[in-house]
């Protein structure tokens, strides 16, 4: 649901930029007005059908529990490394600052000239969709940043949520299809890359 939610809200942000001519300061209110009722309707429908979140069974003490403990420890160490990297390079490395954050800055604070990046030979890269860039610009809107003083915390948050979502999806899928031990091994393999 994370990729679907990001693509829908990013596309909505982009369409609002196109329609409003770059004036999207009220976007968080619009998104709240749409997402809150939609979430309520989905929750009510799931409740009416009696659907529940499918979680894997809790492992008994033994090798599977030890593997999950090892996975949790490795995920904690990886999270600490990610936090350290965010301190060293707050705006990220090449792709982050040369493409994603640059375009997000135009999408967020470009005003009427936000579409310059499509005409520029320096910033234009037609082979990349704007989903990440629109997501970063949306988060800047949500955090209430002023155009001259944006900070790297929203893009960092999006990056960490993406990392955690990928790991959680892999572990949950492997646990559902095979076993908790296989899920822990798959998560460890993912963290070792």
């Amino acid at each position: 649901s994370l990729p679907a939610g990001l693509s829908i809200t990013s596309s909505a942000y982009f369409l609002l930029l196109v329609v409003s001519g770059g004036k999207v300061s009220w976007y968080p209110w619009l998104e709240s007005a749409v997402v809150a009722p939609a979430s309520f309707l989905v929750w009510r429908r799931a409740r009416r059908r009696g659907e529940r979140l499918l979680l894997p069974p809790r492992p008994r003490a033994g090798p599977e529990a030890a593997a999950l403990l090892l996975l949790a420890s490795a995920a904690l160490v990886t999270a600490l490394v990610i936090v350290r990297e965010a301190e060293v390079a707050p705006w990220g490395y090449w792709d982050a600052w040369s493409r994603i954050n640059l375009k997000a800055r135009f999408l967020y604070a470009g005003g009427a000239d936000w579409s310059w990046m499509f005409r520029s030979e320096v910033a234009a890269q037609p082979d990349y969709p704007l989903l990440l860039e629109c997501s970063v610009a949306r988060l800047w809107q949500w955090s209430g940043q002023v155009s001259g003083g944006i900070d790297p915390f929203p893009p960092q948050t999006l990056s960490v949520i993406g990392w955690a979502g990928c790991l959680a999806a892999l572990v949950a899928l492997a646990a559902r299809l095979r076993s908790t031990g296989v899920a822990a091994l798959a998560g460890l393999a993912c963290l070792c890359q």
Side-chain angles (χ1 to χ4, degrees):
S1 65
L2 179 64
L6 284 176
S7 64
I8 289 169
T9 55
S10 296
S11 299
Y13 184 84
F14 182 77
L15 290 174
L16 186 62
L17 271 172
V18 172
V19 170
S20 70
K23 299 174 182 161
V24 291
S25 60
W26 46 274
Y27 178 78
W29 296 105
L30 177 67
E31 188 172 343
S32 296
V34 172
V35 170
S39 300
F40 175 74
L41 291 174
V42 168
W43 173 78
R44 193 175 81 182
R45 180 178 175 202
R47 187 172 173 210
R48 199 176 317 139
R49 287 182 169 183
E51 295 173 358
R52 294 173 36 118
L53 183 63
L54 299 175
L55 296 174
R58 185 183 306 174
R60 296 183 193 141
E64 287 188 347
L68 280 180
L69 188 59
L70 183 62
L71 174 62
S73 300
L76 179 64
V77 168
T78 304
L80 292 173
V81 168
I82 290 171
V83 168
R84 177 68 182 130
E85 284 294 317
E87 290 175 359
V88 171
W91 288 102
Y93 294 102
W94 178 251
D95 262 3
W97 65 262
S98 72
R99 182 179 61 83
I100 297 169
N101 293 328
L102 174 71
K103 287 184 177 183
R105 195 176 197 114
F106 276 98
L107 292 169
Y108 171 68
D113 295 326
W114 70 273
S115 60
W116 168 83
M117 66 183 170
F118 297 112
R119 296 183 304 273
S120 166
E121 292 180 18
V122 175
Q125 292 179 349
D127 55 335
Y128 286 107
L130 291 175
L131 295 179
L132 281 175
E133 292 85 345
C134 286
S135 294
V136 171
R138 275 183 53 249
L139 289 176
W140 279 331
Q141 287 290 344
W142 273 98
S143 65
Q145 302 289 318
V146 293
S147 61
I150 58 176
D151 78 275
F153 187 70
Q156 290 171 348
T157 302
L158 185 63
S159 177
V160 170
I161 288 171
W163 166 78
C166 287
L167 181 63
L170 173 67
V171 170
L173 182 64
R176 184 90 174 124
L177 294 177
R178 298 290 294 188
S179 69
T180 308
V182 171
L185 289 175
L188 286 170
C190 178
L191 291 175
C192 289
Q193 290 188 4

